[in-house]
Amino acid sequence: MRIGEIAALVGVTPRAVRHYHQSGLLPEPARRANGYREYGVRDAVLLARVRRLTELGLGLDEVRGVLADDEGRGLVEVLEELAEDLARQESEIRARRERLSALLDEARAGRMPADGSLSPELTSLLAGLGELPESPMAAKDRQILALMDVVVPEEERARLMGLMEGAAEHAHEVYPLLDALSGAEADDPRVAEAARVLAACLPDELGVHMPSGAPDEAGTSLADALFADLAPAQSAAVHLAMRLVRERREQNR
C-alpha cells in the first residue's frame, strides 16, 4: 500500500501518517525502487492502534509508552483488542443515538422546552435547585448540565449527577458571587473568594470526575469548551475552585 492508501484505510490523513513517522510512533516502512513507501498489514494495524489511542485522549508520549508495551504481542491479539474497542464505541454511539432520537421526537411534538430535563438524573438535580432568582450563571449552569447529560456515558452520568446534587443545595450562595464577576478580568480580587465558596460546596470526588483546566494536545480542554463564554473572572473562579477541590482531596487521602 502507498501512504494515501493506508491513510484512507485507517481513516487518517497522509499528513498524519508523516507526523507519526516524525514522532517515532510509526516506523518508516521499506521503500520501493522508485522511492515510494510500501506499507503492509502490520503497518496498518499499528497506525490504527495509534489513531485509537490518540482519539481516547492519550498524548503522544503516552501512546509511545503503550506501543512499547505492545512489542512482542501477536497480530491476532492486537487486532482482537482493536475489535473490542470498536465494538464498545459502537455500543456507546448506538445508545447515544437512541437517546437523541427520543429527544428529537419529543422536541418535534412540542413536548420538550429548550432547557428541558434530558434524563431522570438531571431532572432530580434540577429539582434540587428549586426556584432560583434571575441569574445568568444559573442559566449557564443548566446549559452545561444539559450538554453533559447528552455527551457523558450513562453509568458515568448517574455518578456525576449524584455527586453534584449536594452542590446544588448551595446554589443560592454561589450564583450571586459568580454573577458579580460578569465582565471582570481574571485578576479581579473577588475571584479567590468566589472560588473558595464554590470549592467548599463541591464534594472531593467531583475533582476526579470533572474535567480540569489543563490543556490537551490541541491546546484546549473539555472544561475550556464548557466554560468558553464565561467572563475571564468567572472562568478563573471555576478553574481555581476545581483545583482547590483536587488539592483538598489529595490532602484528605
Side-chain angles (χ1 to χ4, degrees), residues 113-246:
D115 60 348
S117 303
L118 304 180
S119 72
E121 294 86 4
L122 181 55
T123 300
S124 175
L125 178 59
L126 295 181
L129 293 175
E131 290 295 329
L132 293 173
E134 290 296 327
S135 167
M137 196 63 199
K140 175 63 179 176
D141 228 7
R142 289 174 182 266
Q143 293 175 2
I144 293 171
L145 290 171
L147 174 61
M148 295 177 65
D149 195 55
V150 174
V151 302
V152 176
E154 182 175 356
E155 63 279 1
E156 181 68 12
R157 183 185 69 242
R159 181 164 57 252
L160 183 58
M161 295 297 178
L163 290 173
M164 296 181 71
E165 283 187 358
E169 300 176 2
H170 304 276
H172 293 270
E173 181 182 4
V174 175
Y175 286 142
L177 294 175
L178 294 175
D179 286 335
L181 294 176
S182 178
E185 296 301 323
D187 58 355
D188 190 288
R190 295 171 295 174
V191 167
E193 175 63 12
R196 184 190 65 78
V197 174
L198 177 58
C201 299
L202 302 176
D204 291 354
E205 294 83 355
L206 203 58
V208 177
H209 297 284
M210 284 291 286
S212 71
D216 58 19
E217 291 295 322
T220 60
S221 70
L222 179 55
D224 293 325
L226 290 175
F227 304 110
D229 59 348
L230 294 182
Q234 292 173 325
S235 180
V238 171
H239 285 115
L240 176 57
M242 295 309 303
R243 192 184 77 189
L244 293 174
V245 171
R246 288 191 294 272

